[in-house]
Amino acid sequence: MSLIARFPKNLVSALLFLSGGTALVYELVWSKYLGNVLGNSGQAHAVVLATFMGGLALGASVFGRTADRVKSPLALYGVLELGVALYALAFPYVLDALGALWLAVAPSVPDGWRVGPRLLVAALSLVVPTLLMGGTLPALVRHFADSLSGVQRELARLYAVNSLGAALGVFIAGTRLVPVLGLSASAKLAAGLNILLAVAALLLARRFPPALAPGQAAPVAEGAQDVAYPRVAVRAALVGVLLSGFTSMLYQVTWIRLLSIVLGASTYAFTLILTAFILGIGLGSFWLMTRAQKVDSLRVYGMTQLALVASLCVALPLYVRLPHLFRTAQWMMTRSVDTWPLFQLLTFGFCCLVLLVPTFFMGAAFPAAARVATAKVSEVGRELGSVYLWNTVGTITGSALGGLVLMPWWGMEGNFVAGVVANLAAAALAFHALSGRPLSPVRALWPVGAAALLAVVVLGSMSGWSVRLSGIASIRSHQKPPDSYAKLVADTEKNFQPVFYRDDTFATVLVADYPKDHLRFMKLNGKIDASNGSDVETQVMAGHLGALLHAREPKNVLLVGAGAAITAGSVLAHPVERLDMVEIAPAVIDAARLFKDDNRNAVDDPRTRVHIDDAKTFMALADRKYDLVVSVPSNPWVAGVSGLFTRDFFQTVDRHLTDDGVLVQWIHTYESNDELIRLVVRTMRDTFPHATTWLGPQDLVMVASRKPLALDAERLARRMALPEVRKDLERVGLTDVFSLLSKQVHSEEGQLAFAGPGPINTDDHNLLEYASPIAFFVANLDVRVKDERRSPDGSSRLFIEDYLREHPPTPEQAERLYRNMERYHAANDPLVRGVASLWRQVAPDSRGAAVALARAALAQKDLTLAASLLDPEVREGGREPELIAAYLKLVTEQAWATRTVWTPVDAREALALGRQAAAEHPGDEDLSRAVRNLCDALPASACTRDSAPVAAPVGP
């Protein structure tokens, strides 16, 4: 047996498997590093991806040629791995220097042209390591291949091994390594592994020479597979790999968007999507390796393109059904931290359902086309480098055009159409270039025609599927889904009316109306991010608090996150001179214009300047300081958003605030947990020594500053009395100083005590990015932070305490505050009962106050207090719908609490009273519901209509 036959191929394959894993660790880590510097906008992502892929192609071309000339390509592989490791250790320092270059150059470049400096920084930071990585595969193929037929076999084998290692690497990095260790430690661990790989390769290279020495011709082998392909076939293969690279990235961009809408756009979902994508490619290459080389490689390539088109046509009807399938699968799961791994497995299963088959054909296509383009085994490195170069031109074009140009132009549907057309063109070129093909074009290209016909039928019949997908997607639905997809579509289309839809570079945006409740909402990637419904108070308060509490009237304001622009409208109610509104998703701005009745036409206000950019990047490059910064981003479980809750971000804000500047920061409590809220508060207080918390219970608005904000009640009252400010606050029931101050949750001291000691959220170790998706899955909707308004001794530190000493509330003020609390808080919230009690104290003769307190007592199951309040009001002849509804609820609760076989309940008089009131007020849904609920608590015979007289009952 020859020496090469005894060469430990499996061992070297293991090295390549591990280096594929470390390469994806680096890609994940470095892209996050660059995201922190260049931003997380669609443009920044495209630039980083294009640079990474371009460096790999350049490396394959340069080191592919080198591999043909060196004595040991395996030793070259070891040197390349060592170079990658050393650069990885130096990367943070390189990026610091390039980041300074970015900050020096970018401010002088107009917003729309900053792609140039971004590309420069990304290229300079990634060109060295990607150049080295790109040369590894051609070097090993050159070392192993001893014949032209061996090129396809070895390339397919090594490409499969490398891809499978990459799939494992991205999975471990995205789900375990980075969440636990952070970015820098993960990169160092990968670098250590690369050093071990380099040492192993160099040691093996000393014992085992390549299959062919430099310049040595391959031995003559029998069979057509060792015959070089004609020039026309080579050209077809090279154009084919270019088109394949283009479509692979075009599809990847589109699949990521599609699955983000279905699965949620968390960093875990992105990791699992990428894992499934690379896994499919690896499996396709592995399959090709196992195939007997009896079929023309060019024909194999053409067939993979047609199979890819067919798989997409078969899968497209499935895509629009994914939201229903995923919701149904989720509904069957118990939501807890213990079942989170099971949920990840479910998510990965859906990723594989969408991606595995088409990426399988992608993985088989590249090695097949590469074999066609290889004429000499002794020059296989150079020729493979050329194939990589053509392929990467396609991948760069696909990633850049797919995300930045084509997605906003014709959306997800158009991207799939463009990809199918490119795949059909590649297949046609391949079949046309086959040797011995039929002379008739019809006979030669009939498989292409058949696939094209299938695509026209399927894609044409499915027009409009992306709007339906976004409409039925419901990432945070906690109710049982309809039994069928058809029922889900029917219910959605019956209740919701889409008025706006657009796919842009960053998100898919849908605006729809819910006519039944006069509600309009905005969805980003399947998640409702803004509405004119129950979250209006949060949006309005975030816009007003900073301006109202500021030591002076702010003139220059920065708003992070547009949403429905309701917060922007509230800011502009004050006499500000300039509002810079930074939004990362371009379509959100046009969608916000549809809320102009709710946001006071904030987008087109002459004082508003809209900036489409990542907030961190915009602030780092801002040429001015702001009196007020209002940060209302999306939920931190969404990939990239948690970067707006790190110490690095808060320090950037601090640098761009005036000396007396104020930061207003929003964070949610629902679908979170106490520790994560403490983490955010603690991180913010690490930078800002003074801060208070407002609003609650589901949304918190923090007001932070370098200097303490003292309460000046007279100044606050003057600002609230401004006509536009007063009008805006009236819609959420906050029209006076008393009601506003009643919304304070934490004093400075109380907030600091709540935060407590613990870790800080940083860009390098973003704890929130990986913990918040888990909390979102667990879906605790009732997370209550420690509220000083209920503290036995802490309430003395709140602004309201001092204010009440000189300004006791009037009955009207107490009623308005109750109406506000009742609208935005859970009925059983102790704060609702506390405000109702206050109203009752200051207005003891008010029937409305009695009903309010009784309703709060009923929500807390305090039937005794509720009865003591409602019975006298009913006996005295009260017949207001609100009173009767509360009274019927009391009777219902008493019936359920006291009825047994020995103690039957007779509530006929109460039922008759309720029916009479419901007949007089047919539009009162609360009253009608109370009557129905009472009937449910009584025997069926008691609810039959009779002519019993209506009397003022004493009780049930």
Side-chain angles (χ1 to χ4, degrees), residues 203-224:
L203 291 176
L204 288 171
R206 298 183 63 180
R207 295 185 56 195
F208 302 102
L212 294 176
Q216 178 184 353
V220 178
E222 298 181 0

Side-chain angles (χ1 to χ4, degrees), residues 888-889 892 896 911 914-915 918 922 924-938 943:
L888 294 181
K889 291 177 184 177
T892 302
W896 286 115
L911 181 60
R915 282 176 168 167
D924 194 312
E925 180 58 32
D926 191 41
L927 180 58
S928 300
R929 189 184 304 110
V931 173
R932 292 195 300 269
N933 290 341
L934 178 56
C935 276
D936 291 340
L938 300 177
C943 286

Side-chain angles (χ1 to χ4, degrees), residues 631-799:
S631 181
V632 283
S634 187
N635 306 81
W637 63 264
V638 176
V641 176
S642 59
L644 301 179
F645 296 90
T646 63
R647 176 169 58 191
D648 309 76
F649 173 72
F650 291 132
Q651 289 175 345
T652 301
V653 173
D654 184 49
R655 288 194 298 270
H656 287 83
L657 281 174
T658 56
D659 289 340
D660 59 352
V662 171
L663 165 68
V664 174
Q665 177 68 58
W666 166 87
I667 187 62
H668 65 95
T669 64
Y670 57 90
E671 299 165 339
S672 185
N673 59 54
D674 193 66
E675 277 305 312
L676 292 182
I677 301 167
R678 291 173 186 268
L679 173 66
V680 172
V681 175
R682 187 186 310 120
T683 301
M684 184 189 70
R685 290 300 294 266
D686 185 68
T687 299
F688 293 97
H690 305 282
T692 53
T693 310
W694 299 74
L695 201 61
Q698 293 189 318
D699 295 277
L700 302 178
V701 177
M702 297 177 287
V703 182
S705 59
R706 297 193 196 103
K707 300 177 181 178
L709 295 176
L711 175 65
D712 186 332
E714 293 183 2
R715 181 184 65 199
L716 180 58
R718 286 196 305 271
R719 292 180 180 176
M720 293 184 70
L722 293 172
E724 293 298 320
V725 175
R726 181 177 179 85
K727 181 181 178 181
D728 198 48
L729 287 170
E730 277 179 348
R731 60 174 165 165
V732 294
L734 300 175
T735 57
D736 51 60
V737 175
F738 165 72
S739 59
L740 182 74
L741 296 184
S742 296
K743 289 291 184 175
Q744 188 180 6
V745 176
H746 290 143
S747 63
E748 284 191 16
E749 298 86 351
Q751 187 193 76
L752 202 58
F754 166 72
I760 299 296
N761 199 43
T762 65
D763 282 347
D764 183 75
H765 198 182
N766 195 328
L767 301 169
L768 191 64
E769 180 176 19
Y770 294 96
S772 52
I774 301 175
F776 174 72
F777 165 72
V778 174
N780 186 349
L781 302 179
D782 190 24
V783 178
R784 304 284 181 92
V785 302
K786 184 178 180 181
D787 194 326
E788 283 189 82
R789 290 173 292 184
R790 298 189 58 217
S791 171
D793 53 3
S795 60
S796 61
R797 300 189 296 240
L798 298 176
F799 291 150

Side-chain angles (χ1 to χ4, degrees), residues 823-846:
R823 178 181 176 186
Y824 295 110
H825 289 240
N828 64 349
D829 192 325
L831 292 173
V832 176
R833 178 165 176 170
V835 174
S837 298
L838 172 66
W839 184 14
R840 181 70 171 170
Q841 290 171 13
V842 298
D845 298 328
S846 168

Side-chain angles (χ1 to χ4, degrees), residues 21 101 286 584 688 725 865:
L101 174 65
F286 184 81
I584 199 168
F688 293 97
V725 175
L865 175 59

Side-chain angles (χ1 to χ4, degrees), residues 22 25-26 29-30 33 84-85 87-89 91-92 177-178 181-194 764:
T22 59
V25 173
Y26 293 137
V29 169
W30 292 342
Y33 267 127
V84 171
Y87 189 88
L89 295 174
F91 184 84
L177 207 59
V178 176
L181 300 178
L183 299 180
S184 59
S186 298
K188 290 176 182 176
L189 185 63
L193 183 56
N194 272 121
D764 183 75

Side-chain angles (χ1 to χ4, degrees), residues 4 61 81 120 128 147 165 208 245 249 255 261 325 330 332 359 393 399 414 451 732 782 851 869 935 952:
I4 188 62
S61 178
E81 291 289 352
L120 176 64
V128 172
S147 64
F208 302 102
M249 297 312 298
W255 281 326
I261 293 172
L325 295 173
Q330 274 188 297
M332 294 186 290
T359 55
V393 169
S399 62
V732 294
D782 190 24
V851 173
L869 293 164
C935 276

